[in-house]
Amino acid sequence: MENAVQNVMTPEILEDRLIDFAVRIIPLANQLSTTFAGKHIAGQILRSGPWRRPTYGEARSAESRADFIHKLRIAVKELNETSIWLRIVARSGLLKPRLLLGLSGECDELKRILGASLRTARLRGAKSQICDNQ
Protein backbone atom coordinates (compact mmCIF):
# COMPACT_ATOMS: atom_id res chain seq x y z
CA MET A 1 0.00 0.00 0.00
CA GLU A 2 2.90 2.32 0.71
CA ASN A 3 4.05 2.15 -2.96
CA ALA A 4 0.61 3.26 -4.15
CA VAL A 5 0.89 6.41 -2.06
CA GLN A 6 4.41 7.12 -3.34
CA ASN A 7 3.30 6.85 -7.00
CA VAL A 8 0.66 9.57 -6.73
CA MET A 9 1.44 12.54 -8.98
CA THR A 10 0.42 15.59 -7.01
CA PRO A 11 0.31 19.02 -8.68
CA GLU A 12 3.29 20.03 -6.54
CA ILE A 13 5.36 17.04 -7.67
CA LEU A 14 4.46 17.67 -11.30
CA GLU A 15 5.37 21.33 -11.01
CA ASP A 16 8.73 20.38 -9.46
CA ARG A 17 9.38 17.93 -12.30
CA LEU A 18 8.62 20.65 -14.85
CA ILE A 19 11.01 23.01 -13.07
CA ASP A 20 13.72 20.32 -12.89
CA PHE A 21 13.25 19.63 -16.61
CA ALA A 22 13.63 23.34 -17.39
CA VAL A 23 16.77 23.55 -15.27
CA ARG A 24 18.27 20.60 -17.16
CA ILE A 25 17.57 22.26 -20.52
CA ILE A 26 19.51 25.45 -19.69
CA PRO A 27 23.03 23.91 -19.72
CA LEU A 28 22.09 22.01 -22.88
CA ALA A 29 21.19 25.29 -24.59
CA ASN A 30 24.46 26.83 -23.38
CA GLN A 31 26.43 23.91 -24.86
CA LEU A 32 24.59 24.28 -28.19
CA SER A 33 25.33 27.96 -28.59
CA THR A 34 28.87 27.42 -29.87
CA THR A 35 27.84 27.08 -33.55
CA PHE A 36 25.51 29.06 -35.82
CA ALA A 37 23.00 26.20 -36.04
CA GLY A 38 23.43 25.51 -32.34
CA LYS A 39 22.63 29.13 -31.45
CA HIS A 40 19.42 28.97 -33.46
CA ILE A 41 18.35 25.65 -31.94
CA ALA A 42 19.30 26.80 -28.43
CA GLY A 43 17.09 29.86 -28.86
CA GLN A 44 14.20 27.72 -30.08
CA ILE A 45 14.53 25.30 -27.17
CA LEU A 46 14.67 28.15 -24.69
CA ARG A 47 11.58 29.77 -26.23
CA SER A 48 9.60 26.54 -26.35
CA GLY A 49 10.75 25.23 -23.01
CA PRO A 50 8.50 25.23 -19.97
CA TRP A 51 10.20 28.23 -18.34
CA ARG A 52 9.23 30.63 -21.15
CA ARG A 53 6.00 31.03 -19.35
CA PRO A 54 5.21 28.74 -16.43
CA THR A 55 1.90 27.69 -17.96
CA TYR A 56 1.36 24.76 -15.64
CA GLY A 57 1.60 27.12 -12.67
CA GLU A 58 -0.86 29.42 -14.42
CA ALA A 59 -3.17 26.49 -15.10
CA ARG A 60 -3.17 25.58 -11.41
CA SER A 61 -4.55 29.02 -10.61
CA ALA A 62 -6.95 29.14 -13.55
CA GLU A 63 -10.16 31.12 -13.16
CA SER A 64 -12.36 28.46 -14.77
CA ARG A 65 -12.25 24.93 -16.16
CA ALA A 66 -12.03 26.39 -19.68
CA ASP A 67 -9.07 28.56 -18.62
CA PHE A 68 -7.42 25.54 -16.98
CA ILE A 69 -7.86 23.46 -20.15
CA HIS A 70 -6.54 26.28 -22.33
CA LYS A 71 -3.41 26.74 -20.24
CA LEU A 72 -2.75 23.01 -19.99
CA ARG A 73 -3.07 22.77 -23.77
CA ILE A 74 -0.40 25.48 -24.13
CA ALA A 75 1.91 23.61 -21.73
CA VAL A 76 1.52 20.42 -23.79
CA LYS A 77 2.23 22.35 -27.02
CA GLU A 78 5.40 23.82 -25.50
CA LEU A 79 6.58 20.36 -24.46
CA ASN A 80 5.77 18.97 -27.92
CA GLU A 81 7.93 21.65 -29.51
CA THR A 82 10.73 21.08 -27.02
CA SER A 83 10.57 17.35 -27.75
CA ILE A 84 10.99 17.95 -31.47
CA TRP A 85 13.99 20.24 -30.91
CA LEU A 86 15.58 17.66 -28.61
CA ARG A 87 15.16 15.02 -31.33
CA ILE A 88 16.75 17.35 -33.87
CA VAL A 89 19.72 17.93 -31.54
CA ALA A 90 20.09 14.18 -30.96
CA ARG A 91 19.99 13.32 -34.67
CA SER A 92 22.22 16.20 -35.76
CA GLY A 93 25.12 15.20 -33.57
CA LEU A 94 25.53 18.77 -32.31
CA LEU A 95 25.96 17.44 -28.78
CA LYS A 96 27.32 14.27 -27.26
CA PRO A 97 24.50 11.81 -26.53
CA ARG A 98 25.39 11.78 -22.82
CA LEU A 99 24.35 15.46 -22.59
CA LEU A 100 20.85 14.50 -23.77
CA LEU A 101 20.59 11.50 -21.46
CA GLY A 102 17.07 11.22 -20.12
CA LEU A 103 15.86 14.64 -21.35
CA SER A 104 13.77 13.33 -24.23
CA GLY A 105 12.29 10.61 -22.04
CA GLU A 106 11.39 13.08 -19.30
CA CYS A 107 9.89 15.46 -21.85
CA ASP A 108 7.75 12.66 -23.28
CA GLU A 109 6.64 11.55 -19.83
CA LEU A 110 5.70 15.10 -18.85
CA LYS A 111 3.69 15.40 -22.08
CA ARG A 112 1.82 12.17 -21.22
CA ILE A 113 1.09 13.35 -17.69
CA LEU A 114 -0.18 16.75 -18.81
CA GLY A 115 -2.10 15.12 -21.67
CA ALA A 116 -3.85 12.80 -19.22
CA SER A 117 -4.70 15.79 -17.00
CA LEU A 118 -6.08 17.57 -20.04
CA ARG A 119 -8.26 14.59 -21.00
CA THR A 120 -9.53 14.30 -17.42
CA ALA A 121 -10.38 18.01 -17.26
CA ARG A 122 -12.22 17.82 -20.58
CA LEU A 123 -14.12 14.70 -19.48
CA ARG A 124 -15.12 16.28 -16.17
CA GLY A 125 -16.20 19.42 -18.03
CA ALA A 126 -18.35 17.36 -20.40
CA LYS A 127 -19.90 15.43 -17.49
CA SER A 128 -20.59 18.70 -15.68
CA GLN A 129 -22.37 20.12 -18.73
CA ILE A 130 -24.50 16.99 -19.05
CA CYS A 131 -25.50 17.23 -15.38
CA ASP A 132 -26.24 20.94 -15.73
CA ASN A 133 -28.49 20.32 -18.74
CA GLN A 134 -30.57 17.63 -17.04
Side-chain angles (χ1 to χ4, degrees):
M1 189 67 172
E2 196 171 312
N3 275 345
V5 173
Q6 290 176 349
N7 290 331
V8 172
M9 180 61 64
T10 66
E12 293 79 16
I13 291 171
L14 179 54
E15 192 165 320
D16 278 345
R17 281 184 66 178
L18 287 162
I19 291 168
D20 289 342
F21 177 72
V23 167
R24 290 178 62 198
I25 292 282
I26 293 169
L28 176 128
N30 286 335
Q31 288 288 321
L32 279 170
S33 65
T34 60
T35 67
F36 180 76
K39 285 178 187 178
H40 176 74
I41 293 170
Q44 293 297 322
I45 287 176
L46 290 173
R47 279 187 285 284
S48 70
W51 54 84
R52 178 184 107 200
R53 184 174 43 170
T55 50
Y56 179 71
E58 289 178 11
R60 288 184 63 197
S61 61
E63 296 176 13
S64 66
R65 183 177 309 279
D67 189 34
F68 177 77
I69 290 170
H70 173 71
K71 287 177 175 148
L72 260 188
R73 195 175 313 145
I74 292 170
V76 171
K77 282 181 172 183
E78 289 174 346
L79 285 168
N80 280 332
E81 186 177 343
T82 302
S83 176
I84 290 168
W85 283 114
L86 288 172
R87 289 175 25 213
I88 290 170
V89 169
R91 290 181 189 178
S92 70
L94 283 169
L95 291 178
K96 292 181 174 97
R98 67 178 170 76
L99 295 173
L100 298 168
L101 196 60
L103 277 174
S104 290
E106 178 67 355
C107 188
D108 291 341
E109 192 169 328
L110 290 168
K111 285 189 310 185
R112 283 191 297 275
I113 293 166
L114 290 179
S117 295
L118 187 55
R119 284 187 296 281
T120 300
R122 286 178 176 157
L123 183 62
R124 286 183 181 162
K127 284 182 181 179
S128 175
Q129 285 182 340
I130 290 169
C131 291
D132 290 345
N133 291 334
Q134 291 180 355

